[in-house]
Amino acid sequence: MFSSFFSTAPPTDPHAPNFHPVSSAHPSSELFGELEPKDTEWTCPGGFAVETQTFYNFLEDGTSLMCQVIHSAVGVWYPTIQFTCKIYNPNTKEKTWKSINVTNFVTPPPGLDKRSSKADEYSITHKSKPGTEFPESYTITANLDNDLQITLDIARPASAPGFKVGKGPTGGFSYFGPDPKNAEGYVIHRFWPQDIATGMLVHKGHAIPVKGPGMFVHAIQGMRPNLVASRWNFAHFQSPQHGGVSAIQMDFTTTDAYGRKGAGSGFVTVSVGGLVLGGKLAAVTAETKWPDEEYPPSAGVISRAIHSKKAHDADTGYEAPTELVFRWAAPSVVSDAQGPIDATLTVDVGAPDAYKGLIEKVDVLAEIPYVIKTMVNYVAGTKPYIYQWVNPATLHVSLPAGIIPGVSDKAEVEGTLYNEATFIS
């Protein structure tokens, strides 16, 4: 363990790139990396790392449901494992939030692989059914409190395969540090771009049926979270129209310490995403925004989350978005319907003192485990916040013929958008 104090490695150029984004690592024809079984296995990394499995779904009445398992490692401390659940009904404005530290976490459970896990309070079981309409699924059961129990089956359709950006074992990875092969840290996301949840929530003794579309993401931040990013954006759009439409995007901006010219050249934005059109995975997007360059108005591949209008939020101290524009563009990955795909979604979330569809402004330091809080040195005077919204939205799509039956050029798709804007520093 003392080797790190007496490094014999040659000194690195302080102006050498120390951030290697996945969004610049693959040509447009190789963005789609189909998930392999190992991609969604729990790795339970040591050191400073946060690994999550997160399921986002919409119920038939528009209710937003999120279930998440968080594995947090902090140096030599024993990892903290949490199960969190947030339910928000936009019709009644009722919000249910549970976060519990689980006990006796195990992966893999007996007889299963590491895509599954369990603890005293929950179980998540991965099931494979190759060659069927739904070739894989997760069964989730959780007893989070006396007033909240969850039983869900979340199944991925065969026509919407899971993906990462880029093929092979390094697909999906952005690396921090001068040498990607000996990285100081990394970020990785693997997605199911569309799934169907069925099951039941029992809340305060009332049974709530669950049936509706969603997405799944397995993610790892292999570094202290305050070093990984200064900002995050996330979009999750679903619609039952045109045989099922989904648009997802995950976007983060590095701190100033990591960029293509070493420390001080940071604030690099990495965005990855995907589109399901007509029930089929149609496009995978990835784009890098370097701080000394502007976004080109048009390009063969676009993946962007833009805060197109902002206002000062007195609650948090941040210049928070009042309007956001999400954009996706890439070549079609549908083999018999080739051509460019372009999609845009604009959402007006209102002013900070009168937000539309705001679920919550999450005070991150109030939610994360104490042991992590003591290890993460956030800049004095800054408080990380996550803004969470759910709103009706329209996705405007240009696409080649053959992807959506009866549509050969453009489509306007009405659906529901869940989105987050995270400010860390």
Side-chain angles (χ1 to χ4, degrees), residues 33-387:
E34 187 163 0
L35 292 187
E36 302 164 29
K38 287 194 80 67
D39 285 328
T40 47
E41 290 186 350
W42 284 98
T43 65
C44 303
F48 291 86
V50 178
E51 182 173 15
T52 57
Q53 281 189 343
T54 314
F55 302 85
Y56 298 92
N57 287 88
F58 296 113
L59 280 55
E60 288 183 307
D61 66 355
T63 292
S64 168
L65 169 65
M66 184 274 286
C67 295
Q68 181 180 58
V69 179
I70 308 169
H71 182 287
S72 305
V74 185
V76 297
W77 296 77
Y78 190 76
T80 300
I81 295 93
Q82 293 167 282
F83 191 108
T84 68
C85 175
K86 182 169 281 187
I87 306 163
Y88 177 72
N89 184 323
N91 307 305
T92 65
K93 306 293 190 279
E94 183 181 10
K95 179 179 65 185
T96 303
W97 163 246
K98 296 290 181 186
S99 177
I100 60 171
N101 287 354
V102 305
T103 51
N104 297 317
F105 173 83
V106 175
T107 185
L112 301 168
D113 66 24
K114 284 193 168 186
R115 289 175 287 185
S116 302
S117 66
K118 74 180 186 75
D120 292 344
E121 298 79 3
Y122 85 92
S123 69
I124 297 180
T125 303
H126 180 274
K127 299 176 182 176
S128 294
K129 297 179 182 176
T132 66
E133 185 182 359
F134 293 94
E136 56 180 337
S137 64
Y138 286 96
T139 298
I140 303 173
T141 60
N143 186 357
L144 301 183
D145 205 343
N146 292 334
D147 63 356
L148 183 62
Q149 294 82 43
I150 298 169
T151 306
L152 297 175
D153 189 68
I154 296 178
R156 179 187 63 77
S159 55
F163 73 89
K164 57 192 175 185
V165 172
K167 296 177 172 59
T170 61
F173 279 90
S174 292
Y175 294 105
F176 296 78
D179 181 4
K181 291 186 171 53
N182 295 288
E184 296 171 11
Y186 59 91
V187 169
I188 171 75
H189 292 91
R190 288 114 168 185
F191 302 97
W192 284 7
Q194 190 171 61
D195 59 44
I196 301 296
T198 54
M200 191 75 68
L201 305 174
V202 179
H203 183 223
K204 296 179 180 176
H206 297 288
I208 303 168
V210 173
K211 184 178 182 183
M215 63 162 285
F216 162 69
V217 56
H218 187 127
I220 309 173
Q221 295 181 45
M223 197 161 69
R224 296 175 195 246
N226 60 309
L227 301 181
V228 169
S230 59
R231 300 282 189 273
W232 289 87
N233 287 288
F234 170 60
H236 170 220
F237 172 87
Q238 295 286 344
S239 171
Q241 296 181 351
H242 299 295
V245 171
S246 168
I248 64 171
Q249 192 176 116
M250 188 72 75
D251 160 298
F252 71 93
T253 299
T254 66
T255 66
D256 194 34
Y258 292 94
R260 61 176 167 186
K261 297 177 183 175
S265 70
F267 303 122
V268 183
T269 298
V270 176
S271 178
V272 298
L275 292 168
V276 173
L277 303 171
K280 301 180 283 286
L281 179 65
V284 173
T285 64
E287 188 175 22
T288 307
K289 164 71 170 65
W290 301 101
D292 55 350
E293 296 177 0
E294 294 299 318
Y295 278 123
S298 61
V301 177
I302 290 173
S303 197
R304 297 174 192 170
I306 305 294
H307 294 191
S308 47
K309 295 179 183 176
K310 307 176 193 177
H312 181 76
D313 183 353
D315 287 350
T316 66
Y318 289 108
E319 292 296 310
T322 61
E323 180 187 83
L324 301 97
V325 179
F326 297 97
R327 179 103 183 267
W328 299 259
S332 166
V333 297
V334 179
S335 58
D336 56 356
Q338 293 294 290
I341 295 174
D342 198 319
T344 303
L345 186 156
T346 302
V347 59
D348 172 7
V349 295
D353 60 350
Y355 271 133
K356 303 171 186 174
L358 181 72
I359 301 173
E360 191 173 5
K361 302 173 192 177
V362 180
D363 178 347
V364 175
L365 293 182
E367 301 292 353
I368 63 176
Y370 173 78
V371 70
I372 296 178
K373 216 175 299 187
T374 62
M375 298 288 177
V376 175
N377 296 315
Y378 287 97
V379 178
T382 64
K383 259 183 134 176
Y385 274 92
I386 305 172
Y387 292 73

Side-chain angles (χ1 to χ4, degrees), residues 392-418:
T394 302
L395 185 73
H396 301 268
V397 188
S398 300
L399 71 168
I403 295 178
I404 295 177
V407 176
S408 59
D409 183 16
K410 295 184 186 299
E412 291 192 0
V413 185
E414 294 179 358
T416 305
L417 172 70
Y418 171 90

